[in-house]
Amino acid sequence: MRTMSKRGKTLAKVINDADGTNFQKLVSWYSIASSTQSDPNPTLGWVNPTQFAFSLITATPVKIPSPMFNDFIARGGDAHTIEIANQAVVNYIAQHPFQVPPSYEVRLAKRYYVVQGDKIQLFWDGVIKGVEPSANANLTCRCSVGAQYPRYWEYTPAADGSDNGKTFQFTLYVRNFDGTIMSQGSTTIEVVPKPSFASATKYNMLCFGDSLTSSGTWFGEGLRRIAGTSSSSASPASWNVSNLTFDSYGKKSGTVQGNPIHHEGYGGWTWGSFLQTSATGSTVNGIFVTLNTAPGWDIDVYQHSIWVDQNNKQWKLEDIEGAKIKFDRGPGNTGAQSDTQLPTQLTCSSLSQTITSSDIAEVKWESGNPFYDDDTQRVNFLAHASKLNHEPADIVSVLLTWNGGGGELNFDTTSKINTHLNNATTLLRKIHDDLPNAKIIVMGIQISSTTGGAGANYGASGTYSDSIATNFYAFDYDKALENLVTNSEFGTYCYYGDTKGQFDTPYLMPYNNVAVNSRSSITERRGTNGVHPSTEGYYAIGDAFLRVVCKVLKDTKDDYEGNNVSS
């Protein structure tokens, strides 16, 4: 650090030289944090940090040690006038951005469950709202258990059960470079026992969601790890808890690591979609196009691509299951459902692909709301189970909604989130009215790709293409959803699972290794999907889900053990 030049004056001298008017003008830029104005080494703190981009979110005063500032004044020449001092502040920020950290806000969930002998990791990028906090933020955590690492905190409760029932306070701090706290947050870590049942016990399981649930992977993996039958290649192995059976039901079925699963996961759906008053279709339902031969397309490349049919109507590709392709309606495609409007040809110009009539084996409309009952003319969860010849759910699990979300250039996603919350409120009440004894697990969404997946899916237009704003949407939606689920009305029968904090986005979202530029052979990870995880990513969501399921099993064991097996 350079010393003051002969021409320069200390900041204290500049202040003392100023009259009252000029002093007020000076402090409109910053305030003095020292005890006296004549302190030769004061600390500067911005009076109105919202004027500067680095404090747009937290509005936390950013303090700059005065030797840095005085040195700049010295190098900048004459500092006798207040006007020059003011300009020096502006110049300092422009030329020394590394001295002023960006804004971060700790967004821990209120509670995290961790299971006896099972490792948990909380990733900084998923619990701090900001731009890549694990790489850029000055952060530290405090907890009496576990260990802090550069990208996460890790803890494994004792395998012998000696930690069972214990709770630990976990606090995370984000600091400015002078050590002052920019943001902090705390949560409770609750250790729950690995499930055990002395007599035969069955839980009826219902799961519904959007495209993240359309394969049932996260749901199936969570249940497999607790009470499933592991294949030789499945990792980690199932606990295969004795006397415990999970019996899932739904119109859709699949297999997760050798274990059958049933669910109601539909690409493109939201809370509001499951409130539709039709079981047969409407003006919003999509289509299934079954080809004669499976196309072998990479879902990460084709997902959300736009296709145009022979009637010039747009369709958005949502999912690929072998030869069956799910399309949602694209922009402007809102006509009433009619078989005469079904596509006979589809073309995607961006991918240079065409599906001709000779390629198509069948085209049919997507079914309507699986929970809507025509007989009672309402969304009816008891009727849904009855039509599937199944006992009603004891545990209902939900993961929604990346649809109807995404970011905005001005970060204004309030209206989107409010719409989701209003629909969630209505649907949760309907579930509880029909299934008053059921527990409901509501999983938050993970943050989206941080390596360019949004660009791969959405280009450079639309709300989802802004990866930072889209991530901020996830943080804000999850916070609002958790507050809803844990409030006085829903908190007695709902459980919230924080996905984003337990999800390692840089490594669990799909990506390819590509050249860093057109002249280099060095490669970097570049995302191929904005919001849909890799298979390992779905498994990680299953891990987070497992922890909440174990908490529910602990809370309900006395009521269910040995009493819920049909004859």
Side-chain angles (χ1 to χ4, degrees), residues 94-116:
Q95 297 186 24
H96 296 76
F98 61 91
Q99 296 287 358
V100 184
S103 294
Y104 296 99
E105 182 179 352
V106 175
R107 287 287 184 90
L108 289 161
K110 298 175 183 179
R111 184 174 292 263
Y112 291 91
Y113 306 110
V114 57
V115 184
Q116 168 189 348

Side-chain angles (χ1 to χ4, degrees), residues 68-122:
M68 302 177 188
F69 179 76
N70 291 341
D71 177 62
F72 182 81
I73 293 178
R75 286 181 282 132
D78 192 351
H80 285 82
T81 66
I82 300 303
E83 288 75 17
I84 292 178
N86 282 336
Q87 188 59 46
V89 174
V90 178
N91 291 343
Y92 184 90
I93 296 302
Q95 297 186 24
H96 296 76
F98 61 91
Q99 296 287 358
V100 184
S103 294
Y104 296 99
E105 182 179 352
V106 175
R107 287 287 184 90
L108 289 161
K110 298 175 183 179
R111 184 174 292 263
Y112 291 91
Y113 306 110
V114 57
V115 184
Q116 168 189 348
D118 185 58
K119 178 171 64 180
I120 187 175
Q121 295 171 317
L122 293 184

Side-chain angles (χ1 to χ4, degrees), residues 192-209:
V192 298
K194 186 178 293 185
S196 65
F197 292 87
S199 55
T201 304
K202 182 179 72 172
Y203 282 81
N204 297 298
M205 309 292 291
L206 172 62
C207 175
F208 65 91

Side-chain angles (χ1 to χ4, degrees), residues 527-548:
T528 58
N529 198 295
V531 300
H532 299 86
S534 63
T535 299
E536 294 78 10
Y538 284 116
Y539 291 163
I541 297 175
D543 294 339
F545 171 61
L546 167 150
R547 296 173 185 124
V548 189

Side-chain angles (χ1 to χ4, degrees), residues 115-360:
V115 184
Q116 168 189 348
D118 185 58
K119 178 171 64 180
I120 187 175
Q121 295 171 317
L122 293 184
F123 296 92
W124 308 139
D125 287 356
V127 296
I128 301 174
K129 180 182 177 183
V131 180
E132 297 186 23
S134 62
N136 300 318
N138 176 13
L139 57 89
T140 188
C141 70
R142 290 290 181 266
C143 188
S144 60
V145 295
Q148 175 180 340
Y149 295 99
R151 297 192 310 111
Y152 52 82
W153 169 81
E154 181 177 291
Y155 168 54
T156 304
D160 63 4
S162 57
D163 289 332
N164 290 353
K166 294 180 180 179
T167 59
F168 303 97
Q169 185 81 358
F170 176 96
T171 302
L172 180 59
Y173 301 91
V174 180
R175 301 179 183 275
N176 294 312
F177 292 140
D178 68 349
T180 57
I181 296 174
M182 176 187 292
S183 179
Q184 71 181 75
S186 296
T187 186
T188 298
I189 306 296
E190 178 180 341
V191 182
V192 298
K194 186 178 293 185
S196 65
F197 292 87
S199 55
T201 304
K202 182 179 72 172
Y203 282 81
N204 297 298
M205 309 292 291
L206 172 62
C207 175
F208 65 91
D210 51 28
S211 55
L212 271 69
T213 309
S214 62
S215 64
T217 302
W218 65 266
F219 176 60
E221 176 65 2
L223 301 187
R224 178 201 71 81
R225 284 196 57 200
I226 299 173
T229 302
S230 291
S231 64
S232 58
S233 60
S235 178
S238 170
W239 297 335
N240 196 18
V241 174
S242 299
N243 296 315
L244 175 62
T245 300
F246 291 122
D247 191 0
S248 63
Y249 66 95
K251 291 183 177 181
K252 300 186 68 175
S253 61
T255 302
V256 180
Q257 300 213 64
N259 290 259
I261 201 75
H262 296 82
H263 61 90
E264 301 287 6
Y266 299 93
W269 284 43
T270 66
W271 290 98
S273 304
F274 290 101
L275 291 171
Q276 289 183 77
T277 55
S278 172
T280 58
S282 68
T283 61
V284 298
N285 283 11
I287 58 172
F288 287 101
V289 178
T290 302
L291 305 183
N292 295 315
T293 305
W297 293 337
D298 185 345
I299 185 61
D300 292 333
V301 175
Y302 279 75
Q303 196 162 47
H304 293 170
S305 54
I306 298 297
W307 298 65
V308 180
D309 68 13
Q310 75 281 358
N311 297 316
N312 206 35
K313 293 186 178 296
Q314 296 188 46
W315 301 88
K316 182 177 67 173
L317 192 151
E318 185 62 40
D319 202 5
I320 303 173
E321 299 178 9
K324 182 186 289 187
I325 305 173
K326 164 68 187 308
F327 288 92
D328 286 336
R329 299 190 186 215
N333 187 354
T334 57
Q337 178 173 313
S338 168
D339 288 344
T340 61
Q341 293 184 346
L342 287 171
T344 57
Q345 178 173 305
L346 289 157
T347 300
C348 178
S349 58
S350 64
L351 295 173
S352 299
Q353 289 283 3
T354 297
I355 299 173
T356 67
S357 58
S358 61
D359 298 323
I360 298 175

Side-chain angles (χ1 to χ4, degrees), residues 446-449 503 505-511 529-534:
Q446 89 289 3
I447 64 172
S448 57
S449 170
F503 190 89
T505 289
Y507 296 96
L508 293 176
M509 295 295 290
Y511 65 87
N529 198 295
V531 300
H532 299 86
S534 63

